[in-house]
Amino acid sequence: MSKRQWPFLLGGLLVALLLAGVVSNYASSHPDGLDSSLLKGCTVNADDEITGGSCPAQEAKDHELADSPLADYGVRGIGNDFVSTGLSGVLGVLLTFAFGAGLFWLARRRGPATPATSAGPATPAPTTASADPADDAATPSTGSR
């Protein structure tokens, strides 16, 4: 990677960290389209708990990873929601960046398979056969002389 690309890469990482660490705290707290469509047919209270009716959301269960350290857009064990959400976003960006950088490192171009000579590119060896079979018949072979 050239030296001119580093500022662009680090600037992009800084913007992603700021968005994930700060701006993510100001995202809408209202349910998204999927959540709201699953609640159709049910009545909910102010805490978004189902109080009556019939809807697909009543069949919802906790995910297998619901008790993981970064579940529900926060870091478990941190009481301040603003800090928990921001730290979760920053950790997510750093993990994604590290994973992507590792993939790029694995897929990077290696040097040439054979070392290049200082004489320049290799020239193809001359061929004795021509594309036209009639020309081959007219050319005397080296063994007949």
Side-chain angles (χ1 to χ4, degrees):
M1 180 179 289
S2 71
K3 289 182 180 181
R4 292 181 58 187
Q5 294 171 337
W6 281 106
F8 179 74
L9 181 68
L10 294 177
L13 180 61
L14 180 65
V15 168
L17 288 170
L18 285 173
L19 288 173
V22 178
V23 178
S24 63
N25 282 293
Y26 299 104
S28 174
S29 61
H30 296 291
D32 60 11
L34 178 61
D35 288 337
S36 63
S37 66
L38 290 175
L39 290 172
K40 286 189 189 242
C42 286
T43 53
V44 294
N45 62 14
D47 296 327
D48 290 329
E49 296 171 350
I50 299 172
T51 58
S54 176
C55 62
Q58 291 173 321
E59 304 296 321
K61 302 177 215 165
D62 277 341
H63 191 272
E64 296 169 354
L65 300 176
D67 59 345
S68 68
L70 297 176
D72 289 331
Y73 304 106
V75 177
R76 188 179 337 142
I78 296 180
N80 185 337
D81 286 343
F82 189 89
V83 173
S84 177
T85 301
L87 185 59
S88 174
V90 166
L91 289 173
V93 166
L94 291 175
L95 287 172
T96 303
F97 182 80
F99 183 74
L103 286 178
F104 274 103
W105 181 79
L106 287 173
R108 73 187 186 280
R109 286 188 181 164
R110 312 268 186 207
T114 58
T117 61
S118 61
T123 57
T127 58
T128 57
S130 67
D132 187 12
D135 289 342
D136 288 339
T139 306
S141 67
T142 57
S144 64
R145 289 187 185 198

